[in-house]
Amino acid sequence: MNRLTALMISTLLLAPLAQADTRQPVSLEARQQAFVLDHMKSMLETIGAIQADLAQGKPQQVAQRVQQLKQHESDTKPQRLGRALPAGFRSMSKAMNQHWQVLLQPSQDDKKIQQQLHLLLNQCNACHRSYRLER
C-alpha cells in the first residue's frame, strides 16, 4: 500500500475521533455521579431482564422487576440530586419515568411492554447524545 492510500485510510478512520464533543457537560459531586452511573447500569440490566422474561413467556414478572428498580432508586438516590442536574436532563428523566410507570402496571401484553422498552431506550440514547458526565 502506498503512503497516500495509508494516509487516506488513517484520516477516514480517525476523522470521527477528531469531532468535537458537543454534549452538555454535567458536573456532579462524587456520590451523585456514582448514583447516576449505577442507576443507568441498573436500568439497562432491568431492560435486559425484562426482554429475557418476554422471551421466556413470563410478562407477569415485568412489574416486579420495575418495582425492584424503583425501590433501589428510592433507597440510594442522594438528596438534592435533581437540583444538580440541568433542566433538560431532568425533563428527560421525567419522560423516562413515565415509561417505567406504565411497566409498573401488571400486563400480559408483550407488545405494550416491548413498546415501552423501545421508548425507554430512545430516552437513554437521547440523553447520552445530549449530556456527558464530567469526570
Side-chain angles (χ1 to χ4, degrees):
M1 175 175 355
N2 67 35
R3 286 185 180 169
L4 180 59
T5 304
L7 178 61
M8 289 174 57
I9 290 172
S10 64
T11 301
L12 289 173
L13 293 175
L14 295 177
L17 298 176
Q19 293 177 357
D21 187 349
T22 60
R23 297 175 296 165
Q24 180 178 346
V26 176
S27 181
L28 300 172
E29 297 172 0
R31 185 167 177 251
Q32 293 170 330
Q33 187 175 60
F35 169 80
V36 169
L37 292 170
D38 179 66
H39 190 54
M40 287 187 297
K41 181 178 132 245
S42 295
M43 287 189 290
L44 288 174
E45 289 171 346
T46 300
I47 289 170
I50 290 170
Q51 289 174 326
D53 290 338
L54 294 178
Q56 296 170 7
K58 299 177 183 177
Q60 69 277 8
Q61 292 183 336
V62 171
Q64 179 183 353
R65 291 200 187 274
V66 176
Q67 179 59 41
Q68 290 169 345
L69 173 72
K70 299 308 276 178
Q71 186 62 53
H72 180 69
E73 175 185 14
S74 176
D75 292 346
T76 60
K77 186 175 182 178
Q79 292 182 351
R80 296 182 296 280
L81 174 62
R83 294 180 197 158
L85 297 169
F89 191 106
R90 289 191 311 268
S91 178
M92 286 182 178
S93 179
K94 286 180 184 179
M96 179 175 267
N97 192 51
Q98 292 175 351
H99 302 301
W100 288 118
Q101 292 300 319
V102 171
L103 293 173
L104 270 172
Q105 306 307 311
S107 176
Q108 297 292 317
D109 187 346
D110 289 12
K111 288 184 190 249
K112 178 182 175 183
I113 294 168
Q114 287 287 358
Q115 178 64 25
Q116 293 305 311
L117 294 177
H118 170 75
L119 294 170
L120 280 166
L121 288 172
N122 283 346
Q123 287 295 136
C124 291
N125 286 327
C127 190
H128 283 269
R129 278 192 303 272
S130 302
Y131 300 97
R132 65 178 168 83
L133 290 177
E134 289 188 327
R135 297 206 176 210

